[in-house]
Amino acid sequence: MKNVEVLTGDPKKAILKLSAPMVVSNLIFTLYNLVDGIWVAGLGPDALSAVGMFFPIFFVFIAISFGLSVGANSAVSRRIGAKRYDAACVAATLAVAMGILVSIPMTLSVVFLDGVMVFLGADGEILRLAVDYGSIMLLGSLFLVFSNVSAGILNGEGNARMAMYANAAGSLLNMVLDPIFIYLLGYGIAGAAIASVISMALSSIVFAFWFLSGRSYVRFRVAGWNLPTVFDLLRVGMPASLSMLTMSVAFMLINRVVIETGGSEGLAAYTSAWRLIQFGFVPLFGVSAALTAVSGAAYGARNPRKIGESLNYTVKLLLVVDAAILALMVAFAPQIALIFTYTEASAVMYEEIVRTIRIAAFVLLFAPLGVSSSAVFQGMGKGERSFAITVLRAIVFQVSLCYVLAVPFGFDGVLLGFVLGEALGCFTGFSWVRLTVRRLERCLLST
């Protein structure tokens, strides 16, 4: 009940209290991702490129699980805000059931992996490594989905701290297992995938114990399942998944133009720099997940003023934080690049990584506007609008500008288009959500 009181109370305090464990959880996960990349980089550019080639595919499955997580977060928080406890329990149970169902075709997709990788341009040694790595990751799809959906449920009830514990346990274990499986046991790139699957399984076990022991606010219930709740989960979850799928398509398209303009070294540099830039997105995703829950509870309670306060406070907070992170990345790019080029095989990527960081990191100045806007629409149950913002950011602006600017400026033009596209899309999304909140306030006053 204390978590629920925080969720439905002062929006600024709720954002801070709920986002803190989410940011920590995301920070640990991003740190694991960076460490994983460092260990893989030691195997050479081909191994790092193989992971980069597979990432857009795995991103598709992350997108599906993320969509169910966002749908659960929004559905649970809105029902709690409206004081409908039984309905919140039903929404949580259906979210888990849907997650288990969608994980089945994810796992079976491993049979098509080789052909998909060839379609994306992988060949030779990169193709072999990508299939070795990707096959194992796809076999762990159930753990990926269950962990994400469980985190969404706990965030929706204001219990972000427990979600942090479970996710942190898996990420920390992964960092320990990586060097053991990759180098000590000699599995190479496949060892990185094995470590990841074991870690996701541990997180799933922690989440399952928490729910089944009755320690969560919402409880799993078989009775009361209904189609309106399924549709409500899908209305938010499907656009959220489509948003990430759109990002995946954008990554694939950008990867292709990166290879054409920068070759395998350019792709390896872009992949490495993106792993670093993700640190700037740690506060973004953590605070935006809290914003989804808080705005969802406010929307359920019919309080648009609180939605607006939450949005404005979140954007100001994130702009300050990400501006500081950007300054550090630009200033220390040469030193940071060394962690990806510590072996003779990877040293050739050094200059490319430094330049990529110093250009691409500027997306952090604009991302708070777009991510926060999407989070508010998701909390309000208007997932289709969140999806529209992503399409504008990733496809309409980013991809098109990457291809246009690649013609006169080559690889640097791709990076410049990436940044400018983010700026245009985020400003558009922020203007849209502000207009929506103001209209809600006027409608409430008129009634």
Side-chain angles (χ1 to χ4, degrees), residues 75-76 78-89 217 229 232:
V76 170
R78 279 183 282 121
R79 284 159 177 76
I80 289 176
K83 303 185 184 305
R84 299 171 57 204
Y85 173 74
D86 290 340
C89 293
Y217 177 70
T229 301
D232 187 37

Side-chain angles (χ1 to χ4, degrees), residues 135-180:
S135 298
I136 297 170
M137 293 295 290
L138 293 179
L139 292 176
S141 297
L142 173 62
F143 303 126
L144 170 73
V145 177
F146 182 76
S147 295
N148 277 284
V149 173
S150 299
I153 294 170
L154 291 176
N155 291 337
E157 68 175 35
N159 194 0
R161 182 173 297 180
M162 186 56 219
M164 175 192 71
Y165 292 151
N167 287 327
S171 297
L172 292 173
L173 177 64
N174 205 331
M175 284 187 274
V176 173
L177 294 180
D178 261 342
I180 295 175

Side-chain angles (χ1 to χ4, degrees), residues 67-352:
L68 287 173
S69 176
V70 173
N73 184 338
S74 176
V76 170
S77 64
R78 279 183 282 121
R79 284 159 177 76
I80 289 176
K83 303 185 184 305
R84 299 171 57 204
Y85 173 74
D86 290 340
C89 293
V90 170
T93 309
L94 282 172
V96 171
M98 292 166 65
I100 293 173
L101 286 176
V102 301
S103 68
I104 297 173
M106 288 185 189
T107 303
L108 296 177
S109 67
V110 69
V111 299
F112 304 107
L113 180 59
D114 194 289
V116 174
M117 293 307 305
V118 171
F119 173 76
L120 294 177
D123 59 8
E125 182 65 7
I126 293 178
L127 173 61
R128 185 188 68 81
L129 293 173
V131 172
D132 287 347
Y133 178 83
S135 298
I136 297 170
M137 293 295 290
L138 293 179
L139 292 176
S141 297
L142 173 62
F143 303 126
L144 170 73
V145 177
F146 182 76
S147 295
N148 277 284
V149 173
S150 299
I153 294 170
L154 291 176
N155 291 337
E157 68 175 35
N159 194 0
R161 182 173 297 180
M162 186 56 219
M164 175 192 71
Y165 292 151
N167 287 327
S171 297
L172 292 173
L173 177 64
N174 205 331
M175 284 187 274
V176 173
L177 294 180
D178 261 342
I180 295 175
F181 280 97
I182 294 174
Y183 295 105
L184 185 61
L185 297 179
Y187 289 117
I189 196 172
I194 294 171
S196 295
V197 171
I198 292 175
S199 301
M200 288 188 292
L202 174 64
S203 295
S204 297
I205 291 171
V206 175
F207 278 122
F209 171 78
W210 191 260
F211 287 125
L212 297 177
S213 64
R215 300 187 182 188
S216 60
Y217 177 70
V218 296
R219 307 293 176 85
F220 290 153
R221 294 186 177 180
V222 178
W225 291 19
N226 56 82
L227 284 178
T229 301
V230 173
F231 293 145
D232 187 37
L233 287 164
L234 292 176
R235 185 186 177 188
V236 178
M238 285 186 65
S241 293
L242 289 173
S243 293
M244 290 198 72
L245 290 174
T246 300
M247 293 296 295
S248 181
V249 171
F251 277 127
M252 292 179 188
L253 294 174
I254 292 174
N255 276 354
R256 290 187 70 90
V257 72
V258 166
I259 292 176
E260 292 172 3
T261 57
S264 62
E265 289 183 11
L267 179 60
Y270 176 73
T271 302
S272 300
W274 182 244
R275 286 177 183 270
L276 173 68
I277 294 169
Q278 283 181 322
F279 273 102
F281 281 82
V282 167
L284 277 174
F285 293 138
V287 178
S288 66
L291 178 60
T292 297
V294 172
S295 59
Y299 189 77
R302 296 176 57 82
N303 192 338
R305 179 189 60 80
K306 185 180 288 187
I307 299 176
E309 289 180 7
S310 302
L311 173 65
N312 293 335
Y313 179 74
T314 298
V315 169
K316 292 176 183 177
L317 176 65
L318 290 175
L319 283 174
V320 172
V321 172
D322 271 2
I325 295 174
L326 170 62
L328 292 173
M329 287 185 180
V330 172
F332 294 100
Q335 292 77 17
I336 295 170
L338 291 174
I339 66 178
F340 293 103
T341 56
Y342 61 91
T343 65
E344 184 177 351
S346 59
V348 294
M349 302 184 294
Y350 177 79
E351 294 295 337
E352 288 278 21

Side-chain angles (χ1 to χ4, degrees), residues 30 178 232 348 377 384 408-409 417 447:
T30 305
D178 261 342
D232 187 37
V348 294
F377 277 137
E384 66 282 356
F409 302 114
T447 56

